[in-house]
Amino acid sequence: MTAAAGSGQRPARPRQSLIVPAGLLAFLVITWLSLSDQFGIGFDLGAIIEDITNGGRILITESDSAAQRGLLVPNWAFLPRTVDPMLETFKMAVVASVVGCTVALPVAFTVSRVTAPNGVVLFLGRTVLSVVRAIPDLLYALMFVAAVGIGPLAGIVALVFFNIGVVAKLLSETVDGVDPGPIEAARAGGGNRTQTVRWAVLPQVLPNYVAYSLYTFELNIRASTVIGIVGAGGIGNLLFTQYRFFNWSNVSIVVVTLFVFVLLIELISIWLRRRLV
Amino acid sequence: MIRFENASVTYPGGVHALKDVTLDIRDGEMLIIVGLSGAGKSTLIRVINGLVPLSGGDVKIDGVSVRHAGSRQLREIRSKIGMIFQTFNLVKRTTVLNNVLMGRLYGAGTLRSLFAWYRPEDIEIAMQALERVDIVEKAYVRASNLSGGQQQRVGIARALAQQPKIILADEPVASLDPPTSHVVMRDLQRINRELGITTIVNLHFLDLAKVYGERIIGMRGGELVYDGTAAQADERVFRDIYGRSLTADDVMSEAATAAATL
């Protein structure tokens, strides 16, 4: 075949979008401004060198108290005291994940374009969910500590809201991309919306749902350190009390316990996901 | 009896997919619709179970208007109409039996189907449907593990599980190879003859239409351009329907030969 065979004309090259280069440029400009004298945020490499001597005292220091010998000298005698708070964190994460992911399942189907009952519900649902997601976990913890008092209950409720936001968002986007064929088949057979979601959509997204749920469980263990600071129970409470008294050797033990625990959970989660998905 | 009364469909984009179609389909008929892609075959089939809403005229099934049915009544109408699709439309991640049980959704009710708590008689109906298309041994296999022909037979079983009065098949063999196409078409023909189910099939290949159709309908540009028996439909008739001379691509056996010699 020769090049002249086709009668079609070659189209002109379409204009490229400038959004990506403009965005990159914006980031560079903001970075440069942050380092400048007038608009800067006081970021200075020299300060790191000057302050490192301060940091040195936190890492290793002379002290009569075993709790205060610095981060690099862990106080192993403190280890048993981390067990109960760590278990509390674990239980909080389990309860919050089970409740949050259960609620998120029907919510996700309500805010997906594919399965929403109508446009109004879709719009309202998405708006509410955006607000739920816009509030950070720490703020939820503060709100519920104020509402129900200091303790794990406040932490659990905070994590539940956080989980609904994450799982409903991820799952609804997965639902948006399902194969529409089975949905048409379920409708053609006389199925209503609930039945269509249950039998044509859910089996398609179930492995993703399990993966998202395990992921939020991991996030909950991690988030517990932050929300513990405002009094929402768990290992974060212990971490913050020790930190406030400058018991760096105890803080060190809490960090190690948390690190090992998170790593363990993540390994189990990876193993589970590989088997289930 | 299915009665089209000046049925018209205009899609939101302004395309007139169906223009003023008037047509009677008797109970127990095996009807084959032919025409080029875009001629309105799929639309004609989908207005029968209301998957595509009418913009004018009406379609009545045993005197009941599809156009004016409320959502509950529409589900009742659909429960008696099985549908078979070009791409099978199975849920690939679940078992064959679960797919066939989708044909029992209306009969089982929302609560039972929500918790997969089907009555033994619903499961029995599903199993019998699988036996009728000779694939019951795959009941607990994931649908994704089946070949195309097997998947389409599961699709037929799902339609049969509705215990329908009508079966609509939208290009049921377009994704299958010629031998498998004949297996699926024979299944449809047997179901039509043995169970007396009105069967309406969209086809592209003319030789298949002539072999399996009792009555053939031709569509062009959303209009009904031919309605007659398979015996009357000769090459001149098909040229008329297609609005051009016939090519090897229009005939399954020759298209297969042409593809093989390329």
Side-chain angles (χ1 to χ4, degrees):
Chain A
M1 197 189 280
T2 60
S7 59
Q9 245 190 347
R10 290 191 183 179
R13 185 163 179 258
R15 288 187 51 175
Q16 303 293 305
S17 164
L18 288 175
I19 291 176
V20 173
L24 279 173
L25 191 69
F27 272 111
L28 284 176
V29 168
I30 291 170
T31 306
W32 182 73
L33 282 178
S34 308
L35 293 170
S36 73
D37 287 339
Q38 296 107 307
F39 308 104
I41 49 172
F43 174 75
D44 181 6
L45 280 174
I48 297 179
I49 311 290
E50 278 169 38
D51 289 346
I52 204 96
T53 44
N54 255 332
R57 275 211 304 283
I58 293 169
L59 294 179
I60 301 176
T61 188
E62 293 283 324
S63 173
D64 295 333
S65 156
Q68 298 195 327
R69 282 178 190 153
L71 272 176
L72 289 182
V73 194
N75 175 21
W76 293 101
F78 192 70
L79 191 61
R81 287 208 23 214
T82 63
V83 173
D84 278 344
M86 201 65 241
L87 273 178
E88 188 174 76
T89 287
F90 179 74
K91 290 176 195 163
M92 282 166 62
V94 170
V95 174
S97 299
V98 168
V99 175
C101 297
T102 307
V103 176
L105 186 63
V107 172
F109 292 126
T110 315
V111 298
S112 163
R113 214 176 301 105
V114 177
T115 49
N118 56 58
V120 179
V121 172
L122 178 70
F123 176 75
L124 288 178
R126 284 195 172 180
T127 310
V128 171
L129 201 62
S130 294
V131 174
V132 167
R133 235 183 12 261
I135 301 173
D137 46 1
L138 187 61
L139 194 52
Y140 275 122
L142 275 171
M143 276 161 50
F144 290 113
V145 163
V148 303
I150 282 178
L153 178 64
I156 288 173
V157 181
L159 289 177
V160 163
F161 273 87
F162 174 73
N163 292 350
I164 293 173
V166 173
V167 176
K169 170 74 174 173
L170 290 175
L171 191 61
S172 72
E173 278 174 1
T174 310
V175 171
D176 282 343
V178 297
D179 173 13
I183 298 172
E184 192 186 24
R187 286 179 62 215
N192 59 28
R193 200 183 74 88
T194 311
Q195 293 172 318
T196 304
V197 166
R198 169 67 181 84
W199 288 102
V201 181
L202 185 63
Q204 293 193 57
V205 300
L206 201 57
N208 304 75
Y209 176 58
V210 172
Y212 300 152
S213 299
L214 284 170
Y215 175 58
T216 48
F217 178 70
E218 285 172 43
L219 289 182
N220 286 175
I221 300 270
R222 266 168 244 189
S224 67
T225 51
V226 181
I227 63 172
I229 291 173
V230 295
I235 191 83
N237 260 354
L238 184 70
L239 182 69
F240 193 59
T241 21
Q242 295 307 311
Y243 161 76
R244 255 192 321 202
F245 292 113
F246 306 111
N247 293 337
W248 294 112
S249 298
N250 289 353
V251 168
S252 174
I253 286 292
V254 176
V255 170
V256 168
T257 316
L258 195 64
F259 175 77
V260 171
F261 200 74
V262 168
L263 201 69
L264 220 71
I265 296 278
E266 198 166 315
L267 287 176
I268 295 172
S269 163
I270 289 172
W271 179 80
L272 266 176
R273 250 181 283 178
R274 201 171 293 156
R275 301 215 43 174
L276 289 170
V277 180
Chain B
M1 168 118 128
I2 306 166
R3 170 163 277 174
F4 283 71
E5 294 168 354
N6 306 102
S8 297
V9 170
T10 309
Y11 284 117
V15 178
H16 293 273
L18 215 57
K19 291 177 192 158
D20 212 22
V21 170
T22 297
L23 171 71
D24 277 351
I25 302 168
R26 289 181 309 277
D27 287 344
E29 229 173 347
M30 177 98 177
L31 177 76
I32 290 193
I33 306 166
V34 294
L36 293 171
S37 7
K41 304 192 297 281
S42 288
T43 307
L44 185 83
I45 269 196
R46 279 173 170 73
V47 295
I48 297 175
N49 60 4
L51 281 182
V52 170
L54 286 162
S55 357
D58 205 348
V59 172
K60 287 178 179 162
I61 298 168
D62 295 329
V64 180
S65 160
V66 175
R67 190 180 183 188
H68 299 108
S71 66
R72 182 178 295 266
Q73 202 183 3
L74 192 60
R75 285 204 305 276
E76 192 187 327
I77 292 170
R78 286 174 179 169
S79 74
K80 287 291 152 204
I81 305 176
M83 190 159 183
I84 295 158
F85 304 86
Q86 172 176 351
T87 48
F88 324 134
N89 289 1
L90 302 183
V91 183
K92 298 208 177 61
R93 269 179 172 159
T94 191
T95 62
V96 163
L97 183 62
N98 274 342
N99 271 289
V100 177
L101 279 168
M102 276 173 76
R104 296 307 306 159
L105 287 180
Y106 185 84
T110 305
L111 214 58
R112 276 184 184 281
S113 56
L114 193 60
F115 297 102
W117 187 34
Y118 289 104
R119 288 167 300 198
E121 53 263 44
D122 286 323
I123 293 168
E124 181 57 28
I125 290 168
M127 284 295 191
Q128 281 176 8
L130 281 169
E131 276 163 357
R132 194 163 275 283
V133 289
D134 213 13
I135 200 163
V136 75
E137 73 277 5
K138 302 281 187 193
Y140 296 103
V141 174
R142 264 166 74 118
S144 57
N145 293 342
L146 302 186
S147 70
Q150 289 172 326
Q151 288 194 30
Q152 191 56 297
R153 274 142 76 200
V154 174
I156 296 175
R158 177 177 60 195
L160 282 179
Q162 290 174 232
Q163 302 184 312
K165 291 177 62 184
I166 302 164
I167 282 184
L168 309 173
D170 189 18
E171 298 272 9
V173 298
S175 316
L176 303 174
D177 56 53
T180 317
S181 298
H182 281 287
V183 173
V184 166
M185 286 309 297
R186 271 198 295 271
D187 275 338
L188 287 174
Q189 189 178 47
R190 199 158 42 81
I191 286 159
N192 166 255
R193 286 184 183 161
E194 289 172 11
L195 302 175
I197 298 172
T198 312
T199 306
I200 303 167
V201 187
N202 278 346
L203 279 183
H204 176 78
F205 291 116
L206 306 176
D207 47 348
L208 282 186
K210 275 190 73 100
V211 172
Y212 296 102
E214 290 165 3
R215 178 179 171 195
I216 291 180
I217 277 179
M219 301 270 308
R220 192 173 74 205
E223 284 175 280
L224 205 66
V225 293
Y226 177 79
D227 184 353
T229 64
Q232 293 167 328
D234 54 20
E235 193 166 319
R236 197 180 45 80
V237 167
F238 283 126
R239 264 207 306 272
D240 233 35
I241 296 170
Y242 280 30
R244 60 164 169 76
S245 52
L246 302 178
T247 67
D249 287 336
D250 299 326
V251 185
M252 172 171 271
S253 51
E254 290 185 30
T257 322
T261 52
L262 267 180

